[in-house]
Amino acid sequence: MKASLAKEVNRIAGLITLAAVAALAVGHIWPLLAGLVGYIFWSTRQLFALYSWLVRDDHTEPPDSIGLWGEFYTRLEHLFQKERRAQETLQGIIHRAQQSVNALEDVVILIDQHGYLEYWNLSAERYMGFNAGQDLGQPLTNLVRHPRFTDYLHEGDFKEPLEIPSPVDDNRILQFRVTEFGVGEQLIMARDVTRLHHLEQMRKDFVANVSHELKTPLTVLKGYLETLLDTVPEEQARLRRALSQMESQSNRMEALVTDLLLLSRLENTDADNDRQAVAVHGMLNRMRENALAISADKQHVIELEVPDDARLVANPAELESAFGNLITNAVKYTPANGHIRINWWQDDKGAHLSVTDNGLGIDPAHIPRLTERFYRPDNSRVTQTGGTGLGLAIVKHVMIRHGGRLEIKSQLGQGSTFTCHFPIDRLVNKPTAVAG
Ligand code: ADP
């Protein structure tokens, strides 16, 4: 470039010298002027040629030129070539990425920060019914109108996946996962879990059916055992002991069957059946009385702090089950003369029920798994208390069905606090009377 610049300077200097000599020879300035005008005219033509070449789309075959202008064109053409190659490479990458995303069996959808569709793959057309010609730029919730899907996106809590039927085929179950990226954009992936769903449903049906079928034989067995216990004379102590053990084990089995049936009902029925404004004070008061009766000789102190007007929109039977399990557990796992506190309070987040005891407590390492069916941190407790191992699983399900959650805090040997958190939309009386 430097050499071409020097040549161009030489060319201009030569032209001026020539024009000056000519001007001196003819004794007039016009040869000098003609030289300058000529140079300006030529340069302007080059500029125009450059402009029309630049505004062309292809930028190949630059106009012929000499000197600095020629060098200019060659360099610009190289630059354009480089950019073209980079663009082609990029387009190739995008094309391959699109091809592989299209080959995926899973649905892939991209939406912008306003929830409008930006991109989807072929599986999305198959499973979601999206139409390439019409749906680009449409709000996703206009195309997938399932209320649970709309709520899921609206609430923005994507820790757990969502399962709903495909918008184009009710028999196909899709599991959605949402990943947020960029500024409010979302990558939504869905996969077909119909088979898993059916297997899960078969498992649930099996448990429900077995539990149901066990009910009748158990009732018959229990009836006979009761009659036998009434008729076997006191002198036959060994037989009586055996019969009473059989009776207590059949009671335990009955409790198991009842809890299993309750759990399958919680899993299989619509969460919103039998919604009522439940008077919590009366319910908890009754439960306190029951707990005192179960405590009996253990002489627990059971305190209750609930505002008289506490009301919750809930399914009363489910609520009773959940609260009952927590309070019974507190009695079961707190040694004699222990303290149990039942508190109810409301705040701007919702309503809360806590059951605190100063009993055996639980090693915090077990807490994350405590609501799993039959999970017990300490099996020796089972034989002592005769629980079913399903109580906390029931509480967790009831809480999920009420849009709430169960929080567990405990230390081994120092007691536990189980708190049920209900969302604000479940409150009948907004937070005024606060206690606890
Ligand atoms: P279970 O029928 O065994 O009581 P749950 O599901 O109600 O079944 O409880 C699971 C386990 O959690 C219990 O076996 C017990 O070890 C522990 N647990 C529950 N509540 C308490 C509590 N208040 N204090 C100490 N441990 C508890």
Side-chain angles (χ1 to χ4, degrees):
M1 189 79 176
K2 260 186 180 165
S4 308
L5 200 66
K7 265 189 193 165
E8 191 66 22
V9 171
N10 282 344
R11 191 176 294 125
I12 296 170
L15 189 75
I16 292 174
T17 317
L18 216 71
V21 170
L24 278 175
V26 296
H28 222 291
I29 197 161
W30 62 262
L32 197 60
L33 283 176
L36 274 174
V37 169
Y39 183 77
I40 291 169
F41 177 70
W42 181 77
S43 299
T44 314
R45 267 195 59 182
Q46 295 298 326
L47 266 179
F48 273 109
L50 173 67
Y51 175 75
S52 30
W53 183 66
L54 282 179
V55 295
R56 256 166 48 189
D57 283 338
D58 56 351
H59 300 130
T60 52
E61 297 173 26
D64 288 333
S65 195
I66 51 159
L68 196 60
W69 284 99
E71 174 92 15
F72 224 33
Y73 285 127
T74 317
R75 286 190 176 250
L76 274 175
E77 197 187 8
H78 279 157
L79 270 179
F80 283 132
Q81 266 172 9
K82 234 166 104 176
E83 197 199 88
R84 229 180 355 255
R85 274 198 296 274
Q87 235 172 33
E88 278 165 10
T89 316
L90 214 68
Q91 228 143 33
I93 294 172
I94 292 174
H95 187 64
R96 277 183 65 76
Q98 272 182 345
Q99 266 184 336
S100 48
V101 175
N102 271 334
L104 280 178
E105 217 3 71
D106 292 357
V107 170
V108 178
I109 303 166
L110 283 181
I111 56 173
D112 68 13
Q113 67 263 52
H114 305 297
Y116 295 148
L117 278 171
E118 275 188 341
Y119 170 81
W120 61 84
N121 66 351
L122 284 178
S123 293
E125 295 182 8
R126 193 162 56 242
Y127 292 130
M128 313 284 292
F130 291 172
N131 183 321
Q134 298 171 0
D135 297 335
L136 193 72
Q138 292 285 326
L140 175 61
T141 43
N142 277 6
L143 303 171
V144 187
R145 290 181 173 272
H146 197 292
R148 277 176 48 218
F149 184 78
T150 324
D151 289 350
Y152 186 65
L153 284 190
H154 184 70
E155 281 161 16
D157 179 4
F158 305 124
K159 281 198 289 292
E160 294 297 323
L162 170 78
E163 282 179 21
I164 53 163
S166 147
V168 288
D169 180 1
D170 275 353
N171 295 320
R172 200 184 279 282
I173 306 295
L174 297 178
Q175 185 186 65
F176 288 85
R177 283 197 176 272
V178 179
T179 310
E180 291 180 292
F181 71 100
V183 190
E185 285 133 296
Q186 290 174 332
L187 165 72
I188 301 173
M189 295 190 70
R191 63 190 185 110
D192 185 354
V193 291
T194 314
R195 218 176 78 81
L196 273 177
H197 199 78
H198 281 161
L199 285 173
E200 176 71 1
Q201 195 55 44
M202 271 167 67
R203 180 196 62 80
K204 286 178 188 168
D205 290 349
F206 176 76
V207 173
N209 290 338
V210 169
S211 315
H212 191 74
E213 292 301 323
L214 278 173
K215 267 187 98 166
T216 321
L218 255 176
T219 317
V220 175
L221 267 176
K222 271 188 61 170
Y224 278 122
L225 282 170
E226 250 171 56
T227 322
L228 280 172
L229 266 171
D230 285 346
T231 48
V232 171
E234 296 288 336
E235 302 84 71
Q236 292 186 275
R238 275 178 68 187
L239 181 59
R240 285 191 67 85
R241 222 175 19 254
L243 284 173
S244 74
Q245 268 185 19
M246 283 165 81
E247 192 190 32
S248 90
Q249 288 305 318
S250 60
N251 283 340
R252 202 166 151 216
M253 269 176 86
E254 192 183 35
L256 248 172
V257 167
T258 311
D259 277 1
L260 278 172
L261 278 172
L262 175 59
L263 256 179
S264 37
R265 212 172 46 245
L266 292 178
E267 280 180 338
N268 285 323
T269 57
D270 186 1
D272 276 338
N273 60 1
D274 198 18
R275 258 195 188 205
Q276 303 179 14
V278 181
V280 183
H281 183 269
M283 178 186 274
L284 287 172
N285 225 351
R286 272 196 318 278
M287 287 182 180
R288 178 177 174 273
E289 299 297 325
N290 287 345
L292 283 171
I294 299 169
S295 163
D297 295 344
K298 284 166 95 185
Q299 300 271 315
H300 291 115
V301 177
I302 305 181
E303 291 172 282
L304 178 69
E305 269 193 57
V306 186
D308 291 344
D309 61 350
R311 275 187 166 66
L312 191 76
V313 179
N315 177 316
E318 291 182 15
L319 218 56
E320 193 143 353
S321 258
F323 295 171
N325 270 310
L326 293 182
I327 296 170
T328 313
N329 276 352
V331 175
K332 279 196 303 193
Y333 301 111
T334 303
N337 304 315
H339 268 74
I340 295 167
R341 265 176 71 93
I342 305 164
N343 274 26
W344 178 276
W345 72 101
Q346 296 173 190
D347 56 24
D348 55 353
K349 291 195 181 71
H352 317 268
L353 168 101
S354 69
V355 180
T356 304
D357 63 63
N358 63 350
L360 305 178
I362 306 151
D363 182 340
H366 293 292
I367 290 178
R369 297 194 56 193
L370 218 54
T371 53
E372 285 174 24
R373 280 153 214 229
F374 302 114
Y375 182 84
R376 277 136 168 171
D378 181 355
N379 271 328
S380 65
R381 287 186 196 176
V382 183
T383 32
Q384 288 163 22
T385 62
T388 62
L390 295 170
L392 291 180
I394 291 173
V395 181
K396 180 185 156 187
H397 269 278
V398 170
M399 291 315 292
I400 292 173
R401 281 161 71 86
H402 286 80
R405 68 190 168 87
L406 170 69
E407 183 190 10
I408 306 172
K409 285 188 180 149
S410 191
Q411 285 295 334
L412 200 58
Q414 289 175 26
S416 321
T417 299
F418 290 76
T419 313
C420 296
H421 298 285
F422 294 93
I424 191 110
D425 59 7
R426 291 273 168 179
L427 289 185
V428 178
N429 309 321
K430 300 296 172 211
T432 43
V434 180

